[in-house]
Amino acid sequence: MGSTSAHNNEGLGRRNLIKRSAALGLITVPTMGFLSACATGGGPEDKPTAKETGTVSAKNPLGVKNGVALEAFIFKGGLGDQYAKDAEADYKTTYQAEVKHTGTQEVGPKLTPRFAGGNPPDVIDNSGANHLDMNKLSSQGQLQDLGVLLDAASLDDPNKKVRDVIHPSTLEKGKHGDKFDVLYYAFTIYGTWYSQKLMQDKGWTYPKTLDEMVKLCGDIKKEGIAPWTYAGKYPYYVHFNLFAQIAKIGGMPAWIEIDNLEPNAWTKNDAVKQVIEHYEELAAKKYFLEGSEGLTHIQSQTSWTKNNAVFIPNGSWVENEAAPTTPKDFGMSVGALLDGTGDKLPSGTLRGEPSEPYIVSAKGKNPLGGMELLRIMLSKKHAQNFATKVKSLTCVVDATEGMTLSPGLASASAAVKAAGDNLISLQLQEWYPALTDEKIGGLTGQLLTGDLKASEWIKKTQAEADKVAQDSAVTKFKRAG
């Protein structure tokens, strides 16, 4: 959290759903030695070798061999890595095996040469600014097909498979083509975050519509407080809300056209116009904290927890990451997406989606052990441990039932319940980070400082999306409409 540098301490959402510009250098690292290829189903390299296989039983459905060492490489940022060490301890006890643990913020630089040399660790939390390019690894058969894990009995209930106890969107998010080879362990809630205490003290109510938000911002400004702040050094933080707001108003089929880089997907969608004009209005009325364009995510969060601004676009990792500066009575809360005009999705719709990508190396020494560690982590015991230690949900459904939750996590959990099935999950930032973080992020930065009109943002964003669509060097992925 606050103990690491601002740039590397990415925050859960930045470390998993977003491939930041700082990470883009890894996409074409020559030492990877990878040829361009499309993601395919599991090939021979996906099958663990016989020497690593133990006896399959009810308690050992994957057939992990006793005594075989396991190597885990875990991103150590805003979430720390203790939660992973706790699961590793259970693995060590169960299989009488040594577990080599590395906690780092340099996953990509440290592991790129190891993948190239055929000596990758068994299980990896592939997060942080300097992560590995999973699209490329998957297309080269470097990632273990985790279908066998999904079909294994869950740790808590042998009558339920692992796939039955995790959120359905986790199954969609972790696919490259038809192969499920990334397990997003956490479940992040994105939205507009605020202090419940400040709102109550001032008599303000979280708005339900875009128009109500503009009106409330006017009232807030009159009180001498900035309505909004954001991480201007990384303006794509604003996309956590902005993109989902477009999907909420325009509907998922129209957003999926954006994910799929369809022609005119941005320019023909009225929801894009509504949302970008909303942000243009916020900028024109100077509803953003002065100087926000120069702030890192940590600095913007600190301004927010000091009540210099009421709202911040962020993900549910913010409670853990901003803990060092958050007053005890702050009452951290998250608001759902706002209603526009002619919305395709109902009030209360929320962006909630899998995050924190775990991968198992197909060519590691113990891929079965890597999958077993994930099975242990997907137990209620470890899902609850994660919630307690890092104030975040996991992909394990209803794992926090009956727990006493921290304010932000309780608010996020309540928002998920209120949203029901109306949870939005987006892929654009995952699939095309150079587009969203560098190109569109730059445009969004200009929009928020009033240096770019909404109409120009839309036109230029479409042009940037078209460039990616036409670039044969970029592997393309498609969502079903």
Side-chain angles (χ1 to χ4, degrees):
M1 258 169 312
S3 60
T4 52
S5 68
H7 188 67
N8 282 330
N9 184 15
E10 294 295 336
L12 191 146
R14 290 187 74 218
R15 295 192 322 271
N16 47 45
L17 298 175
I18 310 303
K19 309 290 198 290
R20 274 140 319 282
S21 54
L24 298 176
L26 290 175
I27 290 173
T28 54
V29 176
T31 55
M32 301 279 275
F34 295 138
L35 300 172
S36 173
C38 294
T40 59
E45 70 274 16
D46 294 321
K47 309 301 180 198
T49 56
K51 67 176 181 178
E52 298 153 353
T53 306
T55 304
V56 173
S57 66
K59 288 191 174 180
N60 184 10
L62 295 174
V64 176
K65 191 172 182 179
N66 259 31
V68 178
L70 180 73
E71 185 179 2
F73 225 84
I74 308 297
F75 177 76
K76 187 176 182 179
L79 301 178
D81 60 350
Q82 186 58 46
Y83 73 93
K85 288 180 178 178
D86 293 343
E88 291 163 13
D90 280 3
Y91 180 94
K92 187 174 182 177
T93 300
T94 304
Y95 295 101
Q96 293 90 52
E98 286 304 311
V99 179
K100 182 181 179 184
H101 174 99
T102 302
T104 181
Q105 293 192 357
E106 301 294 322
V107 177
K110 290 186 177 180
L111 293 187
T112 294
R114 290 190 56 183
F115 271 99
N119 180 38
D122 301 303
V123 62
I124 302 156
D125 171 17
N126 185 37
S127 293
N130 298 313
H131 55 65
L132 295 157
D133 178 8
M134 294 188 295
N135 296 347
K136 188 165 287 187
L137 289 173
S138 178
S139 70
Q140 293 307 313
Q142 294 273 4
L143 302 187
Q144 172 68 36
D145 188 330
L146 301 177
V148 64
L149 169 64
L150 295 179
D151 290 330
S154 69
L155 203 69
D156 297 309
D157 183 352
N159 295 316
K160 284 186 178 179
K161 294 181 178 180
V162 167
R163 69 168 69 247
D164 299 327
V165 302
I166 62 179
H167 201 279
S169 59
T170 305
L171 301 176
E172 180 194 0
K173 189 88 176 175
K175 282 186 175 181
H176 286 103
D178 293 329
K179 183 166 77 168
F180 179 82
D181 54 14
V182 184
L183 176 77
Y184 288 87
Y185 182 62
F187 195 82
T188 296
I189 306 307
Y190 296 91
T192 300
W193 293 78
Y194 60 92
S195 161
Q196 186 63 47
K197 181 180 187 301
L198 178 62
M199 294 282 276
Q200 286 176 345
D201 287 352
K202 296 291 186 181
W204 297 325
T205 304
Y206 183 78
K208 289 188 176 179
T209 69
L210 294 174
D211 288 344
E212 286 179 15
M213 173 59 81
V214 173
K215 183 179 182 302
L216 176 58
C217 286
D219 295 340
I220 291 169
K221 192 175 180 184
K222 286 174 189 170
E223 291 284 317
I225 306 172
W228 285 88
T229 188
Y230 63 96
K233 286 275 185 74
Y234 315 113
Y236 46 80
Y237 260 67
V238 178
H239 296 165
F240 297 154
N241 275 14
L242 188 153
F243 288 175
Q245 191 66 66
I246 290 170
K248 193 266 185 204
I249 296 173
M252 284 309 296
W255 179 267
I256 286 171
E257 290 187 7
I258 290 175
D259 273 346
N260 289 345
L261 303 176
E262 297 289 340
N264 305 315
W266 293 95
T267 52
K268 71 182 181 183
N269 186 344
D270 177 68
V272 175
K273 187 170 183 287
Q274 280 191 55
V275 173
I276 304 307
E277 286 182 351
H278 171 74
Y279 281 90
E280 181 184 45
E281 184 176 4
L282 295 179
K285 292 183 174 175
K286 301 196 183 303
Y287 287 159
F288 294 110
L289 177 68
E290 192 175 345
S292 288
E293 64 271 19
L295 301 179
T296 65
H297 58 298
I298 298 295
Q299 290 167 335
S300 64
Q301 289 163 191
T302 301
S303 282
W304 171 65
T305 56
K306 288 181 176 177
N307 288 332
N308 293 329
V310 176
F311 300 121
I312 192 168
N314 226 314
S316 47
W317 69 84
V318 69
E319 184 173 28
N320 201 44
E321 194 169 61
T325 64
T326 305
K328 282 189 167 53
D329 61 352
F330 190 74
M332 197 173 287
S333 301
V334 62
L337 294 163
L338 303 172
D339 296 342
T341 303
D343 294 33
K344 300 292 195 296
L345 290 167
S347 294
T349 294
L350 193 67
R351 180 177 178 184
E353 60 186 53
S355 52
E356 204 66 17
Y358 271 79
I359 53 178
V360 174
S361 306
K363 298 173 183 178
K365 293 184 176 66
N366 190 7
L368 284 175
M371 288 191 283
E372 179 65 6
L373 180 65
L374 296 181
R375 194 174 78 97
I376 291 168
M377 289 172 62
L378 292 169
S379 65
K380 279 206 170 181
K381 171 186 172 181
H382 287 285
Q384 291 188 354
N385 185 50
F386 185 79
T388 300
K389 281 201 164 67
V390 305
K391 303 183 181 71
S392 182
L393 299 171
T394 66
C395 63
V396 181
V397 177
D398 296 333
T400 57
E401 287 294 314
M403 289 180 68
T404 300
L405 305 178
S406 56
L409 185 53
S411 175
S413 299
V416 170
K417 278 195 169 50
D421 293 333
N422 298 305
L423 288 175
I424 287 172
S425 181
L426 312 176
Q427 290 285 30
L428 193 73
Q429 291 173 292
E430 173 68 20
W431 288 345
Y432 309 111
L435 170 65
T436 58
D437 298 1
E438 280 193 337
K439 302 301 184 181
I440 304 178
L443 297 173
T444 299
Q446 294 176 57
L447 178 75
L448 300 187
T449 54
D451 294 325
L452 191 68
K453 295 294 182 188
S455 57
E456 283 297 300
W457 186 98
I458 296 167
K459 188 165 73 173
K460 290 184 176 185
T461 290
Q462 184 63 65
E464 294 294 351
D466 290 343
K467 283 182 197 170
V468 175
Q470 292 154 16
D471 186 348
S472 60
V474 178
T475 303
K476 308 301 191 304
F477 298 94
K478 295 287 183 185
R479 290 180 78 171

mmCIF file of all heavy atoms in Angstrom, residues 111-121 142 363-365:
data_model
loop_
_atom_site.group_PDB
_atom_site.id
_atom_site.type_symbol
_atom_site.label_atom_id
_atom_site.label_comp_id
_atom_site.label_asym_id
_atom_site.label_seq_id
_atom_site.Cartn_x
_atom_site.Cartn_y
_atom_site.Cartn_z
ATOM 1 N N LEU A 111 10.732 -12.475 -15.062
ATOM 2 C CA LEU A 111 10.273 -13.752 -15.612
ATOM 3 C C LEU A 111 10.367 -13.864 -17.125
ATOM 4 O O LEU A 111 10.339 -14.970 -17.667
ATOM 5 C CB LEU A 111 8.829 -14.022 -15.163
ATOM 6 C CG LEU A 111 8.659 -14.266 -13.664
ATOM 7 C CD1 LEU A 111 7.228 -14.699 -13.361
ATOM 8 C CD2 LEU A 111 9.645 -15.309 -13.147
ATOM 9 N N THR A 112 10.488 -12.748 -17.827
ATOM 10 C CA THR A 112 10.608 -12.816 -19.286
ATOM 11 C C THR A 112 11.756 -13.719 -19.720
ATOM 12 O O THR A 112 11.565 -14.625 -20.535
ATOM 13 C CB THR A 112 10.757 -11.404 -19.882
ATOM 14 O OG1 THR A 112 9.546 -10.680 -19.654
ATOM 15 C CG2 THR A 112 11.024 -11.468 -21.381
ATOM 16 N N PRO A 113 12.965 -13.542 -19.159
ATOM 17 C CA PRO A 113 14.051 -14.436 -19.570
ATOM 18 C C PRO A 113 13.835 -15.883 -19.140
ATOM 19 O O PRO A 113 14.287 -16.804 -19.814
ATOM 20 C CB PRO A 113 15.295 -13.841 -18.888
ATOM 21 C CG PRO A 113 14.777 -12.935 -17.820
ATOM 22 C CD PRO A 113 13.442 -12.461 -18.270
ATOM 23 N N ARG A 114 13.110 -16.090 -18.055
ATOM 24 C CA ARG A 114 12.872 -17.469 -17.599
ATOM 25 C C ARG A 114 11.889 -18.184 -18.516
ATOM 26 O O ARG A 114 12.038 -19.383 -18.783
ATOM 27 C CB ARG A 114 12.379 -17.468 -16.152
ATOM 28 C CG ARG A 114 13.475 -17.051 -15.161
ATOM 29 C CD ARG A 114 13.069 -17.274 -13.735
ATOM 30 N NE ARG A 114 12.674 -18.647 -13.465
ATOM 31 C CZ ARG A 114 12.229 -19.088 -12.298
ATOM 32 N NH1 ARG A 114 12.135 -18.236 -11.266
ATOM 33 N NH2 ARG A 114 11.892 -20.344 -12.129
ATOM 34 N N PHE A 115 10.856 -17.474 -18.997
ATOM 35 C CA PHE A 115 9.966 -18.096 -19.984
ATOM 36 C C PHE A 115 10.727 -18.391 -21.274
ATOM 37 O O PHE A 115 10.568 -19.451 -21.876
ATOM 38 C CB PHE A 115 8.758 -17.191 -20.266
ATOM 39 C CG PHE A 115 7.600 -17.426 -19.347
ATOM 40 C CD1 PHE A 115 7.392 -16.599 -18.247
ATOM 41 C CD2 PHE A 115 6.702 -18.461 -19.565
ATOM 42 C CE1 PHE A 115 6.323 -16.807 -17.381
ATOM 43 C CE2 PHE A 115 5.628 -18.684 -18.721
ATOM 44 C CZ PHE A 115 5.437 -17.854 -17.620
ATOM 45 N N ALA A 116 11.570 -17.440 -21.673
ATOM 46 C CA ALA A 116 12.349 -17.631 -22.901
ATOM 47 C C ALA A 116 13.295 -18.818 -22.757
ATOM 48 O O ALA A 116 13.548 -19.544 -23.722
ATOM 49 C CB ALA A 116 13.142 -16.368 -23.223
ATOM 50 N N GLY A 117 13.792 -19.036 -21.536
ATOM 51 C CA GLY A 117 14.737 -20.125 -21.309
ATOM 52 C C GLY A 117 14.096 -21.450 -20.948
ATOM 53 O O GLY A 117 14.794 -22.431 -20.684
ATOM 54 N N GLY A 118 12.762 -21.486 -20.903
ATOM 55 C CA GLY A 118 12.064 -22.735 -20.603
ATOM 56 C C GLY A 118 12.095 -23.126 -19.137
ATOM 57 O O GLY A 118 11.932 -24.300 -18.797
ATOM 58 N N ASN A 119 12.286 -22.149 -18.256
ATOM 59 C CA ASN A 119 12.379 -22.438 -16.824
ATOM 60 C C ASN A 119 11.490 -21.494 -16.004
ATOM 61 O O ASN A 119 11.941 -20.852 -15.056
ATOM 62 C CB ASN A 119 13.843 -22.294 -16.371
ATOM 63 C CG ASN A 119 14.015 -22.582 -14.892
ATOM 64 O OD1 ASN A 119 13.366 -23.477 -14.349
ATOM 65 N ND2 ASN A 119 14.861 -21.806 -14.225
ATOM 66 N N PRO A 120 10.187 -21.406 -16.356
ATOM 67 C CA PRO A 120 9.311 -20.488 -15.621
ATOM 68 C C PRO A 120 8.887 -21.079 -14.280
ATOM 69 O O PRO A 120 8.915 -22.296 -14.095
ATOM 70 C CB PRO A 120 8.097 -20.365 -16.547
ATOM 71 C CG PRO A 120 8.026 -21.697 -17.228
ATOM 72 C CD PRO A 120 9.467 -22.128 -17.410
ATOM 73 N N PRO A 121 8.515 -20.225 -13.323
ATOM 74 C CA PRO A 121 7.950 -20.740 -12.070
ATOM 75 C C PRO A 121 6.597 -21.391 -12.339
ATOM 76 O O PRO A 121 6.033 -21.254 -13.432
ATOM 77 C CB PRO A 121 7.810 -19.496 -11.196
ATOM 78 C CG PRO A 121 7.769 -18.354 -12.151
ATOM 79 C CD PRO A 121 8.554 -18.763 -13.352
ATOM 80 N N GLN A 142 2.309 -21.206 -23.608
ATOM 81 C CA GLN A 142 3.081 -21.132 -22.368
ATOM 82 C C GLN A 142 2.204 -21.207 -21.124
ATOM 83 O O GLN A 142 2.699 -21.436 -20.026
ATOM 84 C CB GLN A 142 3.872 -19.810 -22.329
ATOM 85 C CG GLN A 142 4.952 -19.690 -23.383
ATOM 86 C CD GLN A 142 6.270 -20.287 -22.932
ATOM 87 O OE1 GLN A 142 6.370 -20.867 -21.862
ATOM 88 N NE2 GLN A 142 7.294 -20.151 -23.762
ATOM 89 N N LYS A 363 4.870 -25.096 -18.958
ATOM 90 C CA LYS A 363 6.196 -25.701 -19.046
ATOM 91 C C LYS A 363 6.979 -25.574 -17.743
ATOM 92 O O LYS A 363 8.201 -25.721 -17.710
ATOM 93 C CB LYS A 363 6.960 -25.081 -20.212
ATOM 94 C CG LYS A 363 6.252 -25.348 -21.544
ATOM 95 C CD LYS A 363 6.868 -24.628 -22.719
ATOM 96 C CE LYS A 363 6.048 -24.887 -23.983
ATOM 97 N NZ LYS A 363 6.550 -24.177 -25.157
ATOM 98 N N GLY A 364 6.254 -25.302 -16.657
ATOM 99 C CA GLY A 364 6.891 -25.287 -15.348
ATOM 100 C C GLY A 364 7.157 -26.711 -14.877
ATOM 101 O O GLY A 364 6.743 -27.680 -15.515
ATOM 102 N N LYS A 365 7.841 -26.834 -13.744
ATOM 103 C CA LYS A 365 8.172 -28.170 -13.243
ATOM 104 C C LYS A 365 6.985 -28.858 -12.572
ATOM 105 O O LYS A 365 6.912 -30.075 -12.503
ATOM 106 C CB LYS A 365 9.341 -28.077 -12.249
ATOM 107 C CG LYS A 365 10.670 -27.663 -12.878
ATOM 108 C CD LYS A 365 11.801 -27.696 -11.858
ATOM 109 C CE LYS A 365 13.143 -27.391 -12.492
ATOM 110 N NZ LYS A 365 13.231 -26.013 -13.001
#
